[in-house]
Amino acid sequence: MKKLVLTIAALAASITFAMAGEVEDRQQHMKDIGRSFGALNKTVKGELPFDAANVQATLDKLRDDTAKVTPALFPAGSDKGKTEASPHIWENLTGFQTHLDKLHKDTATAAAAAPQDVASLADQVKLVGANCAACHKEFRIKKEGE
Amino acid sequence: MAVGFKRAGAGLLVLGVICAGAGWLLSAPRFLSAQQLAGIDDGDATRGRDVFYAGGCSSCHAAPKAKGDDRLKLGGGVRLVTEFGTFIAPNISQDKADGIGNWSASDLANAMMRGVTPEGSHLYPAFPYTSYARMKISDIADLHAFLKTTPEVSGKAPPNELSFPFTFRRGLGLWKLINLSDAKVVSLPDDASDEVKRGQYLAEGPGHCGECHTPRNLSGGVIKSAWLAGARAAEGKGIVPNITPEGRNVKDWSKADLVEYFTSGFTPDYDSVGGAMVEVQENLAQLSDADREAIAAYLKVVPAHANGYPAPRPKN
């Protein structure tokens, strides 16, 4: 009996640790995405100087980081604990996938557009930026103790 | 002995009738007076558009997930799931049969500021008349003029899904005696700037921020001593953040950061607005820069409070 309890406890602990990896990874990707997007938005607003090479590197990083955000980072049960992932994700996996697909597509479009001035960068920033709130509206939740 | 019981019984019966009568009188609908309604007929639809977005009308009264011009089709249908039951926002389009096309501006004022219909029924405070009560009559007049420009949508929304005793609308008359007031919530100093005062008006009135961001007592009324300190979300498992200067989410934000958030939905480190706040931010984005600045100015000076929801359990 003791062995069984210990085994179950060890299993539960390892599953929790395994999930902790996904939660941390996706939170890090989101932070990286925010940082990249912020730099681009500030460039559009004139708070940072426009440098085509820098902008391209940021757009490429943005595309690559968003590509890392996939449903694999949202295993069932990973809405428990310190995460702002809403239970709605698992109630509407199709809808969630649709948002992820659009984000991947739009950031790829933006990187491919290779904007050479603030005005064209602004168009790409607008395209990509619309994805954030649209997904968070349904799939993000604030919890106590965060 | 038996006579004593009979007398006691008769006495209780009389007392019961008196209480019921008093209850009936106390719970009666109260309409705005002619004096309070002065100016209600001079509405301007262009100004009314700002009131419409400040009040967030489309977030409840347009169809769920409506975008763009569809936000002006006010056929109702959005469900607000609460511990009191599920409220379904009604049709407030200009349809005369299924909406409020027949309502005068005074009718709208009584609904928005006193929570009563032209027929004298009480409205459930899921409609935030407890905040709208603080509005100026001229804003209601302008809103009425703007609503008259919105399309007719036929079809009544489904009725609320409530259980007894919450089905008893008349009881709201008593609830209002405790929870309905047009007094300002925060006591600002007399030398508060016009900007802060405007922000107070927008936030405590049409913006109805406190309805989500303030915890409620057992009767469902907001706890004014914890104004904007955050609360359990009415729906689902989350919380609504503390937006007083002590709130974890906003304490390091400048006034400009708040304004940027209202305008674009982005936080200082480029996280993005989410959940129920997305609709609010989309409405805030429709207001003037000055009005967004005003709301931000107000938030910087409201009294700081600890979180309005229970603290997390210690992690051990």
Side-chain angles (χ1 to χ4, degrees), chain A residues 131-146:
Chain A
N131 284 281
C132 312
C135 187
H136 286 191
K137 184 172 179 177
E138 191 178 344
F139 298 114
R140 191 101 179 268
I141 190 172
K142 287 218 184 288
K143 288 153 74 172
E144 50 184 312
E146 287 290 306

PDB file of all heavy atoms in Angstrom, chain A residues 131-146:
ATOM      1  N   ASN A 131      -3.923  40.418 -33.392  1.00  0.00           N
ATOM      2  CA  ASN A 131      -4.035  39.041 -32.904  1.00  0.00           C
ATOM      3  C   ASN A 131      -4.055  38.937 -31.389  1.00  0.00           C
ATOM      4  O   ASN A 131      -4.666  38.017 -30.831  1.00  0.00           O
ATOM      5  CB  ASN A 131      -2.848  38.211 -33.419  1.00  0.00           C
ATOM      6  CG  ASN A 131      -3.006  37.843 -34.871  1.00  0.00           C
ATOM      7  OD1 ASN A 131      -3.734  36.919 -35.207  1.00  0.00           O
ATOM      8  ND2 ASN A 131      -2.353  38.581 -35.750  1.00  0.00           N
ATOM      9  N   CYS A 132      -3.358  39.878 -30.704  1.00  0.00           N
ATOM     10  CA  CYS A 132      -3.140  39.712 -29.265  1.00  0.00           C
ATOM     11  C   CYS A 132      -4.459  39.692 -28.485  1.00  0.00           C
ATOM     12  O   CYS A 132      -4.830  38.688 -27.878  1.00  0.00           O
ATOM     13  CB  CYS A 132      -2.245  40.829 -28.735  1.00  0.00           C
ATOM     14  SG  CYS A 132      -0.764  41.110 -29.733  1.00  0.00           S
ATOM     15  N   ALA A 133      -5.175  40.834 -28.543  1.00  0.00           N
ATOM     16  CA  ALA A 133      -6.407  40.927 -27.760  1.00  0.00           C
ATOM     17  C   ALA A 133      -7.454  39.937 -28.252  1.00  0.00           C
ATOM     18  O   ALA A 133      -8.225  39.388 -27.465  1.00  0.00           O
ATOM     19  CB  ALA A 133      -6.959  42.347 -27.803  1.00  0.00           C
ATOM     20  N   ALA A 134      -7.456  39.693 -29.566  1.00  0.00           N
ATOM     21  CA  ALA A 134      -8.474  38.801 -30.127  1.00  0.00           C
ATOM     22  C   ALA A 134      -8.390  37.414 -29.496  1.00  0.00           C
ATOM     23  O   ALA A 134      -9.404  36.787 -29.197  1.00  0.00           O
ATOM     24  CB  ALA A 134      -8.316  38.709 -31.638  1.00  0.00           C
ATOM     25  N   CYS A 135      -7.177  36.934 -29.282  1.00  0.00           N
ATOM     26  CA  CYS A 135      -7.025  35.613 -28.663  1.00  0.00           C
ATOM     27  C   CYS A 135      -7.214  35.706 -27.148  1.00  0.00           C
ATOM     28  O   CYS A 135      -7.906  34.888 -26.544  1.00  0.00           O
ATOM     29  CB  CYS A 135      -5.648  35.040 -28.998  1.00  0.00           C
ATOM     30  SG  CYS A 135      -5.455  33.338 -28.461  1.00  0.00           S
ATOM     31  N   HIS A 136      -6.612  36.715 -26.533  1.00  0.00           N
ATOM     32  CA  HIS A 136      -6.695  36.855 -25.081  1.00  0.00           C
ATOM     33  C   HIS A 136      -8.118  37.049 -24.601  1.00  0.00           C
ATOM     34  O   HIS A 136      -8.455  36.686 -23.470  1.00  0.00           O
ATOM     35  CB  HIS A 136      -5.848  38.048 -24.620  1.00  0.00           C
ATOM     36  CG  HIS A 136      -4.378  37.777 -24.668  1.00  0.00           C
ATOM     37  ND1 HIS A 136      -3.463  38.618 -24.090  1.00  0.00           N
ATOM     38  CD2 HIS A 136      -3.667  36.773 -25.238  1.00  0.00           C
ATOM     39  CE1 HIS A 136      -2.240  38.141 -24.295  1.00  0.00           C
ATOM     40  NE2 HIS A 136      -2.335  37.033 -24.986  1.00  0.00           N
ATOM     41  N   LYS A 137      -8.969  37.612 -25.455  1.00  0.00           N
ATOM     42  CA  LYS A 137     -10.355  37.884 -25.058  1.00  0.00           C
ATOM     43  C   LYS A 137     -11.020  36.599 -24.573  1.00  0.00           C
ATOM     44  O   LYS A 137     -11.686  36.585 -23.540  1.00  0.00           O
ATOM     45  CB  LYS A 137     -11.110  38.459 -26.257  1.00  0.00           C
ATOM     46  CG  LYS A 137     -12.530  38.877 -25.968  1.00  0.00           C
ATOM     47  CD  LYS A 137     -13.093  39.615 -27.185  1.00  0.00           C
ATOM     48  CE  LYS A 137     -14.524  40.045 -26.953  1.00  0.00           C
ATOM     49  NZ  LYS A 137     -15.035  40.824 -28.094  1.00  0.00           N
ATOM     50  N   GLU A 138     -10.833  35.522 -25.318  1.00  0.00           N
ATOM     51  CA  GLU A 138     -11.504  34.282 -24.955  1.00  0.00           C
ATOM     52  C   GLU A 138     -10.617  33.360 -24.120  1.00  0.00           C
ATOM     53  O   GLU A 138     -11.121  32.602 -23.294  1.00  0.00           O
ATOM     54  CB  GLU A 138     -11.943  33.541 -26.228  1.00  0.00           C
ATOM     55  CG  GLU A 138     -12.879  32.369 -25.947  1.00  0.00           C
ATOM     56  CD  GLU A 138     -13.361  31.661 -27.205  1.00  0.00           C
ATOM     57  OE1 GLU A 138     -13.227  32.227 -28.316  1.00  0.00           O
ATOM     58  OE2 GLU A 138     -13.875  30.541 -27.078  1.00  0.00           O
ATOM     59  N   PHE A 139      -9.291  33.438 -24.323  1.00  0.00           N
ATOM     60  CA  PHE A 139      -8.450  32.367 -23.802  1.00  0.00           C
ATOM     61  C   PHE A 139      -7.503  32.761 -22.674  1.00  0.00           C
ATOM     62  O   PHE A 139      -6.658  31.969 -22.263  1.00  0.00           O
ATOM     63  CB  PHE A 139      -7.660  31.737 -24.965  1.00  0.00           C
ATOM     64  CG  PHE A 139      -8.564  31.122 -25.998  1.00  0.00           C
ATOM     65  CD1 PHE A 139      -8.640  31.639 -27.288  1.00  0.00           C
ATOM     66  CD2 PHE A 139      -9.381  30.044 -25.674  1.00  0.00           C
ATOM     67  CE1 PHE A 139      -9.496  31.076 -28.231  1.00  0.00           C
ATOM     68  CE2 PHE A 139     -10.224  29.471 -26.610  1.00  0.00           C
ATOM     69  CZ  PHE A 139     -10.288  29.991 -27.892  1.00  0.00           C
ATOM     70  N   ARG A 140      -7.656  33.973 -22.151  1.00  0.00           N
ATOM     71  CA  ARG A 140      -6.791  34.415 -21.062  1.00  0.00           C
ATOM     72  C   ARG A 140      -7.665  34.708 -19.857  1.00  0.00           C
ATOM     73  O   ARG A 140      -8.802  35.168 -19.996  1.00  0.00           O
ATOM     74  CB  ARG A 140      -6.065  35.693 -21.498  1.00  0.00           C
ATOM     75  CG  ARG A 140      -4.936  36.118 -20.581  1.00  0.00           C
ATOM     76  CD  ARG A 140      -3.593  35.719 -21.153  1.00  0.00           C
ATOM     77  NE  ARG A 140      -2.512  36.164 -20.280  1.00  0.00           N
ATOM     78  CZ  ARG A 140      -1.875  37.326 -20.401  1.00  0.00           C
ATOM     79  NH1 ARG A 140      -2.204  38.142 -21.381  1.00  0.00           N
ATOM     80  NH2 ARG A 140      -0.924  37.638 -19.563  1.00  0.00           N
ATOM     81  N   ILE A 141      -7.152  34.437 -18.677  1.00  0.00           N
ATOM     82  CA  ILE A 141      -7.934  34.681 -17.471  1.00  0.00           C
ATOM     83  C   ILE A 141      -7.000  35.190 -16.387  1.00  0.00           C
ATOM     84  O   ILE A 141      -5.844  34.765 -16.297  1.00  0.00           O
ATOM     85  CB  ILE A 141      -8.649  33.385 -17.029  1.00  0.00           C
ATOM     86  CG1 ILE A 141      -9.664  33.652 -15.917  1.00  0.00           C
ATOM     87  CG2 ILE A 141      -7.647  32.336 -16.553  1.00  0.00           C
ATOM     88  CD1 ILE A 141     -10.525  32.439 -15.602  1.00  0.00           C
ATOM     89  N   LYS A 142      -7.475  36.125 -15.573  1.00  0.00           N
ATOM     90  CA  LYS A 142      -6.670  36.598 -14.457  1.00  0.00           C
ATOM     91  C   LYS A 142      -7.100  35.807 -13.226  1.00  0.00           C
ATOM     92  O   LYS A 142      -8.283  35.586 -13.010  1.00  0.00           O
ATOM     93  CB  LYS A 142      -6.907  38.088 -14.209  1.00  0.00           C
ATOM     94  CG  LYS A 142      -6.273  38.939 -15.280  1.00  0.00           C
ATOM     95  CD  LYS A 142      -5.683  40.213 -14.717  1.00  0.00           C
ATOM     96  CE  LYS A 142      -5.128  41.118 -15.777  1.00  0.00           C
ATOM     97  NZ  LYS A 142      -3.879  40.575 -16.352  1.00  0.00           N
ATOM     98  N   LYS A 143      -6.120  35.392 -12.435  1.00  0.00           N
ATOM     99  CA  LYS A 143      -6.455  34.606 -11.258  1.00  0.00           C
ATOM    100  C   LYS A 143      -5.874  35.244 -10.020  1.00  0.00           C
ATOM    101  O   LYS A 143      -4.893  35.981 -10.080  1.00  0.00           O
ATOM    102  CB  LYS A 143      -5.889  33.195 -11.421  1.00  0.00           C
ATOM    103  CG  LYS A 143      -6.673  32.395 -12.453  1.00  0.00           C
ATOM    104  CD  LYS A 143      -5.840  31.344 -13.107  1.00  0.00           C
ATOM    105  CE  LYS A 143      -5.591  30.186 -12.164  1.00  0.00           C
ATOM    106  NZ  LYS A 143      -4.946  29.069 -12.873  1.00  0.00           N
ATOM    107  N   GLU A 144      -6.431  34.944  -8.860  1.00  0.00           N
ATOM    108  CA  GLU A 144      -5.882  35.480  -7.623  1.00  0.00           C
ATOM    109  C   GLU A 144      -4.580  34.776  -7.314  1.00  0.00           C
ATOM    110  O   GLU A 144      -4.323  33.676  -7.762  1.00  0.00           O
ATOM    111  CB  GLU A 144      -6.872  35.316  -6.481  1.00  0.00           C
ATOM    112  CG  GLU A 144      -7.445  33.933  -6.322  1.00  0.00           C
ATOM    113  CD  GLU A 144      -8.497  33.889  -5.231  1.00  0.00           C
ATOM    114  OE1 GLU A 144      -8.233  34.404  -4.153  1.00  0.00           O
ATOM    115  OE2 GLU A 144      -9.575  33.320  -5.483  1.00  0.00           O
ATOM    116  N   GLY A 145      -3.738  35.499  -6.553  1.00  0.00           N
ATOM    117  CA  GLY A 145      -2.486  34.887  -6.130  1.00  0.00           C
ATOM    118  C   GLY A 145      -1.422  34.919  -7.197  1.00  0.00           C
ATOM    119  O   GLY A 145      -0.384  34.291  -7.073  1.00  0.00           O
ATOM    120  N   GLU A 146      -1.644  35.689  -8.267  1.00  0.00           N
ATOM    121  CA  GLU A 146      -0.626  35.755  -9.318  1.00  0.00           C
ATOM    122  C   GLU A 146       0.455  36.759  -8.955  1.00  0.00           C
ATOM    123  O   GLU A 146       0.142  37.816  -8.423  1.00  0.00           O
ATOM    124  CB  GLU A 146      -1.297  36.186 -10.640  1.00  0.00           C
ATOM    125  CG  GLU A 146      -2.145  35.074 -11.228  1.00  0.00           C
ATOM    126  CD  GLU A 146      -1.301  33.930 -11.747  1.00  0.00           C
ATOM    127  OE1 GLU A 146      -0.410  34.181 -12.553  1.00  0.00           O
ATOM    128  OE2 GLU A 146      -1.518  32.788 -11.336  1.00  0.00           O
TER     129      GLU A 146
END
